[in-house]
């Protein structure tokens, strides 16, 4: 297992290789090795994180790494209680309609999943708890502050305090 400093140097060299003349100088603030073998890289500023997330920079960065790598977007989870089970949570058109009804940016909702498996529901159950994965903290904050409107129902989502397994 490589020490964190060695890994940081390798990642910094990879970022340097992916840079062009007009690119900003990006430096690493911290690197955390995950149990699954992945790396969590914290850059020195939000601007630099935005720069590296651009498609052309992402492609160069991933190509410069020797092993298979990908950049994952962070998601923000909120817990929604009493979501009607008739909700079409896997339908992209339905998700876009929910975004429009709640006045949040297009494609802000990454996904929705039920907390409890569908097969464990009671036959007479009408509502269930769900976890909504959002792409931006602004969308998550807006829904927690203003409520979540679905089919003329107002739900009061809250921050998901524990990360589900």
């Amino acid at each position: 297992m490589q020490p964190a400093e060695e890994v940081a140097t390798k990642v910094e060299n990879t970022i340097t290789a992916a840079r062009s003349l007009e690119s900003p100088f990006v430096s690493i603030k911290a690197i955390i090795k995950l149990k699954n073998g992945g790396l969590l890289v914290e850059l020195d500023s939000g601007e630099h994180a935005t720069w590296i997330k651009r498609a052309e920079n992402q492609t160069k960065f991933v190509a410069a790494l020797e092993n298979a790598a990908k950049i994952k977007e962070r998601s923000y989870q909120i817990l929604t209680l009493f979501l009607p089970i008739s909700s079409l949570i896997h339908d992209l058109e339905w998700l876009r309609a929910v975004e429009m009804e709640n006045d949040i940016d297009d494609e802000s909702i990454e996904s929705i999943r039920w907390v409890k498996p569908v097969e464990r529901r009671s036959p007479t159950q009408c509502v269930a708890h769900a976890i909504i994965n959002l792409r931006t903290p602004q969308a998550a904050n807006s829904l927690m502050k203003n409520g979540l409107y679905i089919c003329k129902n107002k739900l009061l989502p809250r921050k998901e305090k524990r990360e589900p397994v």
Side-chain angles (χ1 to χ4, degrees):
M1 187 182 243
Q2 295 175 313
E5 288 179 19
E6 208 173 293
V7 174
T9 303
K10 183 177 179 179
V11 172
E12 280 181 338
N13 292 340
T14 303
I15 291 172
T16 303
R19 289 183 68 222
S20 62
L21 293 174
E22 65 276 355
S23 302
F25 178 75
V26 178
S27 68
I28 295 172
K29 194 172 187 179
I31 288 188
I32 300 169
K33 289 183 176 183
L34 304 175
K35 289 181 183 179
N36 66 3
L39 294 175
L40 180 61
V41 179
E42 183 180 347
L43 301 178
D44 58 347
S45 78
E47 292 173 19
H48 295 154
T50 302
W51 174 82
I52 209 162
K53 283 196 251 182
R54 285 192 214 131
E56 66 273 8
N57 298 332
Q58 231 180 49
T59 304
K60 289 180 195 174
F61 178 72
V62 171
L65 286 171
E66 293 171 4
N67 54 1
K70 63 180 177 178
I71 297 177
K72 283 186 165 182
E73 292 291 325
R74 181 173 178 189
S75 66
Y76 301 86
Q77 297 184 337
I78 58 174
L79 177 65
T80 303
L81 306 179
F82 310 115
L83 182 68
I85 61 170
S86 60
S87 302
L88 306 172
I89 64 170
H90 300 294
D91 181 12
L92 290 178
E93 287 182 27
W94 185 82
L95 294 178
R96 302 299 80 93
V98 170
E99 292 165 347
M100 192 179 302
E101 187 175 0
N102 289 280
D103 198 29
I104 57 175
D105 291 340
D106 291 342
E107 298 188 11
S108 289
I109 299 175
E110 187 177 314
S111 64
I112 301 177
R113 69 174 185 83
W114 301 112
V115 171
K116 184 175 168 182
V118 175
E119 56 274 2
R120 290 188 47 217
R121 286 187 188 152
S122 163
T124 59
Q125 188 170 342
C126 297
V127 294
H129 300 343
I131 294 176
I132 302 177
N133 292 308
L134 297 146
R135 296 185 200 281
T136 65
Q138 293 83 3
N141 289 336
S142 173
L143 294 179
M144 287 187 293
K145 179 182 174 189
N146 303 324
L148 172 66
Y149 294 91
I150 295 182
C151 303
K152 308 296 183 212
N153 290 325
K154 183 176 182 177
L155 306 173
L156 300 172
R158 58 184 183 216
K159 183 175 179 180
E160 171 59 8
K161 296 203 184 203
R162 66 174 180 82
E163 191 70 27
V165 183

